[in-house]
Amino acid sequence: QKEVEQDPGPLSVPEGAIVSLNCTYSNSAFQYFMWYRQYSRKGPELLMYTYSSGNKEDGRFTAQVDKSSKYISLFIRDSQPSDSATYLCAIRPPGGFKTIFGAGTRLFVKA
Amino acid sequence: EPEVTQTPSHQVTQMGQEVILRCVPISNHLYFYWYRQILGQKVEFLVSFYNNEISEKSEIFDDQFSVERPDGSNFTLKIRSTKLEDSAMYFCACTTSGLNNEQFFGPGTRLTVL
């Protein structure tokens, strides 16, 4: 079983829509969960991270972790064409240095 | 805003040749990482480096790979004898501490092995 699974999409939405991006993970010991945004041929850029369960909000972005179902989500409100990118969920195993990435979901926001 | 820089942006090499990819991390960051992303695939961890030692490495990081911090600013990834399957984007990243989850990534070096 893969440590982090993410639907690669693509996901296409109209401008202004609410976007929901999701990942599942396999190990209940994971506690640090992150969302990165990656534009084409660029490095990943950290959007948000959460520790353990719960929600975290930053502007139009909300990250949510449900540890009981091993499910992490990123919601984007009032999506903009500039949000078009690949969104990568990621986890940091406890006691480790590496970040494990999901496959990334390509998002297209149409004007 | 401080940023991670990587050179070259694109490297083309022949199979069997050695390549060195260079990174200049953010100046007060102490933990350094290399990741790679084969076209169309996920970003994969290669190695983490702290205090002039490898702190963790993946199974991808075999004897063909090495890392070095040759001076106070550069962090390098060397591939001794490149293979076709080494063609990928290579990203350098850094953090202020090992527990800090905000890894800052560079723009990447695209390595093409012919």
Side-chain angles (χ1 to χ4, degrees):
Chain A
Q1 185 181 9
K2 291 181 184 176
E3 291 172 299
V4 184
E5 302 223 38
Q6 183 176 13
D7 185 341
L11 180 62
S12 183
V13 301
E15 183 176 358
I18 297 174
V19 176
S20 171
L21 304 166
N22 308 292
C23 290
T24 58
Y25 62 94
S26 60
N27 191 333
S28 57
F30 295 156
Q31 296 201 78
Y32 288 97
F33 308 95
M34 292 154 279
W35 283 96
Y36 284 82
R37 178 173 61 196
Q38 186 177 25
Y39 292 110
S40 182
R41 298 194 180 274
K42 302 286 187 188
E45 170 197 8
L46 182 68
L47 278 177
M48 301 181 71
Y49 75 87
T50 53
Y51 175 74
S52 195
S53 278
N55 291 2
K56 187 173 183 179
E57 191 171 316
D58 184 4
R60 297 185 294 111
F61 297 89
T62 300
Q64 193 172 77
V65 176
D66 182 348
K67 293 198 77 180
S68 62
S69 56
K70 302 198 196 91
Y71 202 78
I72 55 177
S73 303
L74 179 71
F75 300 96
I76 307 173
R77 289 182 298 281
D78 188 24
S79 55
Q80 303 294 309
S82 58
D83 295 327
S84 298
T86 297
Y87 290 80
L88 312 170
C89 62
I91 56 94
R92 192 86 174 269
F97 294 94
K98 66 184 176 184
T99 297
I100 300 172
F101 287 88
T105 299
R106 289 195 71 188
L107 172 67
F108 296 95
V109 181
K110 296 173 292 185
Chain B
E1 186 177 317
E3 60 181 18
V4 180
T5 59
Q6 290 185 243
T7 54
S9 57
H10 188 195
Q11 173 88 50
V12 181
T13 189
Q14 295 291 325
M15 191 168 56
Q17 295 297 303
E18 174 184 286
V19 295
I20 297 175
L21 309 182
R22 291 183 167 79
C23 168
V24 179
I26 298 171
S27 63
N28 62 336
H29 287 208
L30 302 175
Y31 290 77
F32 313 111
Y33 310 82
W34 284 101
Y35 291 81
R36 80 170 184 191
Q37 186 175 30
I38 294 170
L39 187 64
Q41 297 187 25
K42 61 171 63 177
V43 177
E44 300 174 290
F45 170 78
L46 292 177
V47 67
S48 61
F49 189 83
Y50 169 71
N51 200 27
N52 285 318
E53 287 185 353
I54 290 173
S55 44
E56 189 174 358
K57 62 181 181 178
S58 72
E59 59 274 11
I60 302 168
F61 195 87
D62 61 22
D63 292 344
Q64 292 298 313
F65 292 88
S66 62
V67 288
E68 194 178 32
R69 191 154 160 81
D71 53 43
S73 59
N74 289 284
F75 179 51
T76 62
L77 174 69
K78 182 194 289 187
I79 309 174
R80 275 182 251 290
S81 178
T82 50
K83 305 192 249 316
L84 295 176
E85 54 265 37
D86 293 327
S87 295
M89 283 289 285
Y90 288 81
F91 295 107
C92 172
C94 58
T95 60
T96 52
S97 79
L99 299 178
N100 187 322
N101 290 286
E102 184 158 13
Q103 291 187 359
F104 290 85
F105 281 77
T109 292
R110 182 153 60 105
L111 177 64
T112 301
V113 182
L114 303 175

